[in-house]
Amino acid sequence: MSSRRRRCKRQLIKFTQHIARLITGTLSSDNEDEEQESTTLRYHPENLEQLQSQTHFSRQELQLLYRGFKNDCPSGVVNEDTFKNIYALFFPLGDSSKYAQFLFNAFDKDKNGSLSFEELVCDLSVLLRGTTEEKLNWAFNLYDINKDGQITKEEMLDILKSIYDLMGKSIHPRLKEEALRQHVRMFFQKMDINQDGVVTIDEFIDCCQKDENIMQSLKIFDNAV
Amino acid sequence: MAAGVAAWLPFARAAAIGWMPVANLPMPVAPTNKNKHQDEIIILNVSGRRFQTWRNTLDRYPDTLLGSSEKEFFFNEETREYFFDRDPDLFRSILNFYRTGKLHYPRYECISAYDEELAFFGIIPEIISDCCYEEYKDRKRENIERLMDDLEDNKDSKLPNMTFRETMWRAFENPHTSTMALVFYYVTGFFIAISVLTNVVETVPCSYMPNQRDIPCGERYTEAFFCMDTACVMIFTVEYLMRLFAAPSRYRFMRSVMSIIDVVAILPYYIGLVMTNNEDVSGAFVTLRVFRVFRIFKFSRHSQGLRILGYTLKSCASELGFLLFSLTMAIIIFATVMFYAEKGSSSSKFTSIPASFWYTIVTMTTLGYGDMVPKTIAGKIFGSICSLSGVLVIALPVPVIVSNFSRIYHQNQRADKRRAQKVQKAKLARMRISKNGSSSAFLHSKRNGLNQSLELTGSLEEDQHLKKTTSLLESQHHHLLHCLEKTTNHEFVDERLYEQGYLQTALQNFPSQSPSLSSEEGITGTCCSRRTKKNIPPLSATNTHSHTHNLQELSALHIQCGEQHPLNTSRSSLNLMSDESGSLNCKSSGLVTTAIISIPTPPSNNSRANPDAPPPANPDAPPLPNPGTDVVRISAL
C-alpha cells in the first residue's frame, strides 16, 4: 500500500514538473537518458597461466578460444540472451531457447546471471578433456534443473522436450507426445535402480558406466578444440 | 554459418555431451581435425596495401572467395602472400565482414563499384547488415531507375507483335510514342481548354444594346454555345470510348479516377439532352451544369505536376486531417468563447454559436472581413487570442505538406507504404535465406550420403575422401546435428520431403491397423508386402544394438519401388547399421495414395526371396542386390 502511495506521489511531482516546464518553456532535454548510466561491465579474465593450470587446455588453445569469445562478447561476459542467440545459430530449424537456458544454468556456477570466460573454459575442459566421471557429473548437473541432487520425471521430461525442440518441426517421423514419454520411461527404467521414481547421482553414474554405448559416445568430442 | 559462431562451435559440441546419457543409439564418429596446424596469420596484398588476418577468420565463410580454396589462385609464391589487384579501400569493408560478421556499405562509395567488389569476392549483397541496408537499397534503386530512364529513351521503338488494341493503349498512355498519339493528345487538350473557356464565357454578361439590361452571353448566343458544347462532348465521348476499348482491363479502367472524371464531365450534357423539355427539373439541370467544371480535371492527364499534386494530397491525408481536426476544435472553442463574451453587448452580430463560427474562421485564417467585430473588452481580448492561435494552428501542418510535395515531385517516388512493404518482405526473405543456408547445407550433405561416413562402422578411406568436399567447420556442425538426430531418434527432413513423409505416415497408419494383410505383393501393388517380424531376426543378428528395436513399434513395412533412387543407396546402408527410423522417398511415391503404391516393374519372385536374404545381412555389399527393386523400409514410430 505504501509503495503505491509513493508511486502516486512520485508521479504527481513529475506531472507538476512537467506543467512548470511547459509554462516556462524550458527545453525538456532527455533527462531519462542521462539517468541511465552505462551498465555494461568491463570484465577481464584471469591471466593465461592461471587458466592453463586450471584447465586441460594448452596455451594456444586458450588463445584461440578467447579470441573467438572476445569477438562476440567484447564486454567479457555472456548473458543469457546472447547465449541463447548464439546457440540458436547452430540449430536453425528448431527452437533452442529452452535447452540453451538449461545449458546456461548448468554453466553458470555462481548463479550471477552471466558467464565469464573462466566458467566457460573450465566447464569446457571438463567436457572435452575430463574423466568420464566428471562428464557424467556435469550431465547430471544439467538434468537436475532445481539442483537438488535428484532427477525427477518432470525434470527429465522438460529436458527431453527441450532437446526435441532443437530439431524443430520438419522431422521424420513426426514427433508425438507419446514418443517423448516413452523416452522418459525408458530412461528411468534404465537408470532408476531402486525404482523410487527419482534418479540420484550415484545411480546415474553407476548405470552410465555400465552402458557401453554411453561410454563410447562420451569420448567422441575429445578432439573438439 | 554466421561469423563468430565458428568460435562457439566447441562450446556447442561440448554441450552435446548432455545428450549422451539420454540417447539410446550410438553416436556417429566425429570428423577428425586431420591438419591441426597452428593458427597462422596470412597476408592479403590488395594493390599494394597489406592486410593481415588469421586464417581462421577467413575460414568462417567457406562459400566466399577468401574463405574457400579459390584464393589459392591468387597466391604469390615468392612473396608468400595473396595478391589481389582490386581497390584497397573497398577491400576494407569486405575484410571487416569476415572479422565482425557484419557487412557495411560505405556511403561515399559508388554503388556499382561496391556491387562489383562484392561479386568478385563472392559475397551476396543480401547480408549487408541492417544499419547500412536501407542506404544500399535506396542507392541501388536510384541507380537502376536512372539506367532505366536512359534505356527508355532509347527503346521507344514499336515492339513487334502488338495487337491493335495494345498499340492504341500504349499511344494513349505515352503520347510521344507516335505522331498520331501526339496529335490526339494535343487535340484533346485543345478541346478541354475550349470547353472550359466556353463554360466561363457563357456567364459573362454581354449586352444587346447599351441601354438594355445585361444578360449573359450564354442566353444571347444560345445556339453557338450549344454547338460548341456538343462538339466538345462529342470529342470527349469518342475519346472515352476509345480508351475503354483499348484498356487491357476494362473493369479496372472504369474504376480509375481519370475515367470517373471523364464520365462526370460528359454526363451532364446527356442528362441535359434528355431532360430539356421538363420545366420542373430545370433547377436540378442547372445544378448539373456545375459539374461541367470537372472537365478541367481532365488536364491532369496532360500535366505531370497536377498528378503529383493530387498524389501528394492523397499521401498527406493524415496531415490534412490533422489540420482540419485541430482547426475545428479551435473554431468551436473560440466561437463559444466569443459568443458568451459578446452576449452582453447590444446589437451584437454574435447571435448564436454557429453564427460565431464565421467570425472565428475569418479571424483564424487572418482574413478579417470586418463584417463581424467584437465590441466588448473581453471579446476583443479573446478575439486577439483567436487570431494569434489561428496563425499557429494553420502554420504547423503546412510545411509538412509542402515538403511532401517537393519530395515527391523531385523524386517521383512510389507510395511510402508500398516501399515499406517491400522492405519488410525483403527483410523476411533475407532472414529466411540466412536461416535456410545452414539448414539446407546439412540436409544437402545428408542427401549426398556424406553422413554415412560418420557412422561408427564407417571406413576410413571414405572418410578422407569426403572430408575434402566440406570444410571442417561444416562437417563438425553437421556431426552435431547428426548426434541430435541420434539422440532423439528422429531425423531432419527437407520441407518438401516433409510433406511427402507426411503422406507416407498417413500411408503407414492405414496398413498398421490391418496387420494381417497378407503379402500380396506384385503387380497388384498393395503396400505392405511383409511384416517386419520376418526381418527382425536377421537384422538383429547383424545389429549389435538390439535395444534399439525396443524403441520402435514393430510395423516396419516393406514397399517395393520400381525405380532406383540415389537416396536409397545411402539411406538404406545407413538404415542397415543401426537406425531403422529412416524413411526413403521413392520417386514413384509421387503416386502415393493412402492405400496403394503402384509398382511399375515389380519382379515377382525376387520380392519373395528378398526378405529372407535381405540386404542387411551384408552391409558392405551394394545394398541393392536386385537392380530392379529397392527395398524401402518405413517404420512407424
Side-chain angles (χ1 to χ4, degrees), chain B residues 324-563:
Chain B
L324 221 58
F325 175 68
S326 57
L327 264 181
T328 313
M329 243 178 36
I331 286 172
I332 293 178
I333 291 176
F334 280 109
T336 314
V337 167
M338 290 305 295
F339 173 70
Y340 283 112
E342 287 288 306
K343 209 162 179 299
S345 85
S346 55
S347 74
S348 145
K349 291 238 175 70
F350 295 80
T351 51
S352 65
I353 294 187
S356 315
F357 279 171
W358 175 242
Y359 169 75
T360 319
I361 292 176
V362 166
T363 314
M364 282 186 87
T365 54
T366 70
L367 275 176
Y369 286 137
D371 53 349
M372 284 164 82
V373 284
K375 295 206 174 54
T376 60
I377 303 215
K380 288 191 177 153
I381 292 177
F382 287 117
S384 37
I385 298 179
C386 175
S387 59
L388 287 173
S389 66
V391 171
L392 262 174
V393 169
I394 291 183
L396 284 175
V398 167
V400 178
I401 299 175
V402 166
S403 76
N404 255 358
F405 179 77
S406 123
R407 175 174 60 89
I408 297 176
Y409 188 78
H410 284 298
Q411 291 183 22
N412 205 6
Q413 268 176 340
R414 286 162 288 209
D416 279 336
K417 223 188 286 182
R418 253 182 283 155
R419 190 161 59 135
Q421 259 183 13
K422 269 209 180 127
V423 165
Q424 187 64 13
K425 259 194 271 184
K427 192 160 175 198
L428 290 174
R430 277 184 295 149
M431 282 175 10
R432 230 179 318 127
I433 286 175
S434 55
K435 205 170 156 207
N436 284 343
S438 51
S439 57
S440 62
F442 177 61
L443 294 165
H444 182 70
S445 68
K446 257 181 71 162
R447 243 177 283 140
N448 290 345
L450 286 175
N451 286 337
Q452 68 176 344
S453 71
L454 302 177
E455 288 297 313
L456 279 175
T457 54
S459 62
L460 277 178
E461 306 88 46
E462 293 175 28
D463 220 9
Q464 282 170 353
H465 164 66
L466 289 164
K467 202 43 75 326
K468 295 199 185 87
T469 54
T470 58
S471 76
L472 182 64
L473 221 53
E474 258 192 68
S475 60
Q476 283 181 345
H477 188 210
H478 292 170
H479 174 249
L480 190 64
L481 292 174
H482 202 55
C483 286
L484 182 60
E485 281 183 341
K486 281 283 151 72
T487 310
T488 57
N489 215 359
H490 290 58
E491 279 175 13
F492 287 108
V493 291
D494 204 354
E495 263 132 34
R496 287 171 294 129
L497 303 182
Y498 180 52
E499 257 88 69
Q500 276 189 334
Y502 187 38
L503 279 178
Q504 285 179 341
T505 52
L507 167 78
Q508 283 152 212
N509 289 334
F510 169 67
S512 67
Q513 283 149 15
S514 54
S516 60
L517 207 58
S518 63
S519 55
E520 297 228 17
E521 77 281 26
I523 309 175
T524 56
T526 51
C527 45
C528 46
S529 52
R530 283 282 176 273
R531 292 270 306 158
T532 359
K533 287 230 170 75
K534 283 206 190 146
N535 287 325
I536 293 274
L539 273 177
S540 52
T542 57
N543 204 336
T544 52
H545 312 291
S546 51
H547 63 266
T548 61
H549 297 292
N550 301 336
L551 267 185
Q552 337 213 351
E553 282 142 42
L554 305 174
S555 55
L557 310 165
H558 282 263
I559 299 179
Q560 314 250 357
C561 300
E563 298 175 22

Side-chain angles (χ1 to χ4, degrees), chain B residues 151-163:
Chain B
L151 276 182
E152 245 182 31
D153 290 343
N154 305 340
K155 155 192 98 79
D156 258 335
S157 57
K158 198 160 163 178
L159 303 167
N161 305 335
M162 278 205 330
T163 68

Side-chain angles (χ1 to χ4, degrees), chain B residues 193-206 215-221 224-225 228 289 292:
Chain B
I194 291 281
S195 161
V196 170
L197 214 54
T198 315
N199 291 342
V200 167
V201 169
E202 222 174 26
T203 59
V204 172
C206 34
I215 52 171
C217 286
E219 290 179 18
R220 193 163 153 195
Y221 304 107
F225 280 106
M228 288 277 245
R289 304 185 88 177
R292 289 186 307 172

Side-chain angles (χ1 to χ4, degrees), chain B residues 41-197:
Chain B
I41 292 187
I42 66 176
I43 304 177
L44 302 163
N45 184 347
V46 182
S47 303
R49 202 185 303 177
R50 282 188 172 68
F51 296 88
Q52 297 179 339
T53 178
W54 297 107
R55 185 176 285 274
N56 268 357
T57 313
L58 293 181
D59 284 341
R60 284 186 194 152
Y61 297 97
D63 51 353
T64 59
L65 186 150
L66 290 173
S68 65
S69 55
E70 199 181 339
K71 63 178 185 284
E72 301 302 326
F73 285 104
F74 298 91
F75 188 66
N76 189 344
E77 301 294 335
E78 303 103 50
T79 53
R80 310 294 302 168
E81 61 188 17
Y82 294 89
F83 182 76
F84 296 96
D85 200 8
R86 310 288 298 183
D87 188 355
D89 290 327
L90 287 171
F91 189 73
R92 259 189 58 235
S93 25
I94 291 181
L95 195 53
N96 275 337
F97 166 60
Y98 286 90
R99 291 184 182 132
T100 61
K102 299 197 192 71
L103 182 62
H104 294 283
Y105 168 61
R107 278 153 211 242
Y108 50 84
E109 291 292 346
C110 169
I111 184 81
S112 36
Y114 191 70
D115 266 343
E116 275 172 26
E117 289 299 304
L118 286 187
F120 179 83
F121 286 103
I123 301 175
I124 49 174
E126 268 73 31
I127 48 182
I128 293 182
S129 61
D130 291 332
C131 46
C132 301
Y133 192 68
E134 286 302 320
E135 174 80 22
Y136 172 80
K137 272 296 176 197
D138 282 344
R139 298 270 293 264
K140 190 138 191 213
R141 195 172 346 117
E142 269 178 40
N143 206 25
I144 291 178
E145 281 175 0
R146 202 176 314 135
L147 291 175
M148 269 191 359
D149 284 342
D150 292 339
L151 276 182
E152 245 182 31
D153 290 343
N154 305 340
K155 155 192 98 79
D156 258 335
S157 57
K158 198 160 163 178
L159 303 167
N161 305 335
M162 278 205 330
T163 68
F164 175 64
R165 188 170 151 186
E166 284 172 0
T167 333
M168 230 165 72
W169 180 249
R170 205 157 146 264
F172 279 136
E173 294 298 302
N174 305 329
H176 50 273
T177 46
S178 70
T179 22
M180 205 46 218
L182 211 55
V183 162
F184 183 76
Y185 177 75
Y186 282 126
V187 161
T188 44
F190 177 69
F191 271 97
I192 293 174
I194 291 281
S195 161
V196 170
L197 214 54

Side-chain angles (χ1 to χ4, degrees), chain A residues 80-81 83-85 87-88 91 94-107 142-143 145 147 154-167 180, chain B residues 15 19:
Chain A
E80 190 162 346
D81 286 329
F83 190 77
K84 280 189 185 167
N85 288 340
Y87 207 70
F91 301 98
D95 173 26
S96 60
S97 55
K98 219 66 200 83
Y99 188 65
Q101 191 182 355
F102 291 138
L103 271 184
F104 190 81
N105 290 336
F107 275 125
L142 174 70
Y143 298 149
I145 299 179
K147 314 280 181 255
E154 287 76 26
E155 288 174 340
M156 202 62 220
L157 196 62
D158 279 339
I159 295 271
L160 272 181
K161 179 116 204 341
S162 68
I163 294 181
Y164 274 78
D165 279 343
L166 288 174
M167 306 250 334
L180 209 59
Chain B
W19 305 335

